[in-house]
Amino acid sequence: QLQASGGGLVQAGGSLRLSCAASGRTFSSYAMGWFRQAPGKERDFVAAINSGGTSYYADSVKGRFTISRDNTKNTLYLQMNRLKPDDTAVYYCARFPNPYYGGSRTIDYWGQGTLVTVSS
């Protein structure tokens, strides 16, 4: 089970940090990721991190967002800086069925989503 938190309302240029708490004892064995879905749009990839810590980003967030994980706390993070109105979306954490992201869109567990609203 994945529990996302940390969303909210922020002004453009501001920052937020999302967290995703995972239950179970196998968190460290899997790649994890963040996706987002804006109103009326498809769910898009934001960032992923392998079990070993290698990270990947969508071009739209590269240089502004940082994905990280704390395997001792079974928690995934997304630090979002220099937020833009276009970042407004429901953000979902997800678990990939493998230790490596590899560009896959196959997810075996989704979190419930947390809303991020960026005002201009």
Side-chain angles (χ1 to χ4, degrees), residues 32-53:
M32 300 292 297
W34 290 96
F35 291 75
R36 66 186 181 186
Q37 188 167 18
K41 296 188 176 181
E42 293 184 351
R43 192 172 298 187
D44 290 331
F45 170 78
V46 175
I49 186 167
N50 290 346
S51 61

Side-chain angles (χ1 to χ4, degrees), residues 16-20 34-35 46-47 57 61 65-68 76-80 91:
L16 279 175
R17 188 175 83 154
L18 306 184
S19 299
C20 176
W34 290 96
F35 291 75
V46 175
Y57 297 94
V61 306
F65 291 10
T66 302
I67 188 171
S68 62
L76 177 72
Y77 301 100
L78 185 68
Q79 178 66 44
M80 304 186 295
Y91 283 71

Side-chain angles (χ1 to χ4, degrees), residues 1-101:
Q1 188 174 4
L2 302 176
Q3 185 76 28
S5 61
L9 174 64
V10 64
Q11 288 189 330
S15 298
L16 279 175
R17 188 175 83 154
L18 306 184
S19 299
C20 176
S23 59
R25 293 177 289 180
T26 60
F27 175 79
S28 62
S29 299
Y30 295 93
M32 300 292 297
W34 290 96
F35 291 75
R36 66 186 181 186
Q37 188 167 18
K41 296 188 176 181
E42 293 184 351
R43 192 172 298 187
D44 290 331
F45 170 78
V46 175
I49 186 167
N50 290 346
S51 61
T54 302
S55 56
Y56 307 85
Y57 297 94
D59 287 343
S60 59
V61 306
K62 203 171 292 183
R64 299 188 297 122
F65 291 10
T66 302
I67 188 171
S68 62
R69 64 191 300 160
D70 186 336
N71 291 334
T72 67
K73 296 181 179 179
N74 280 10
T75 304
L76 177 72
Y77 301 100
L78 185 68
Q79 178 66 44
M80 304 186 295
N81 298 328
R82 304 200 313 272
L83 282 159
K84 305 175 182 179
D86 284 349
D87 295 319
T88 295
V90 177
Y91 283 71
Y92 298 89
C93 58
R95 195 185 85 169
F96 297 94
N98 299 296
Y100 304 102
Y101 161 55

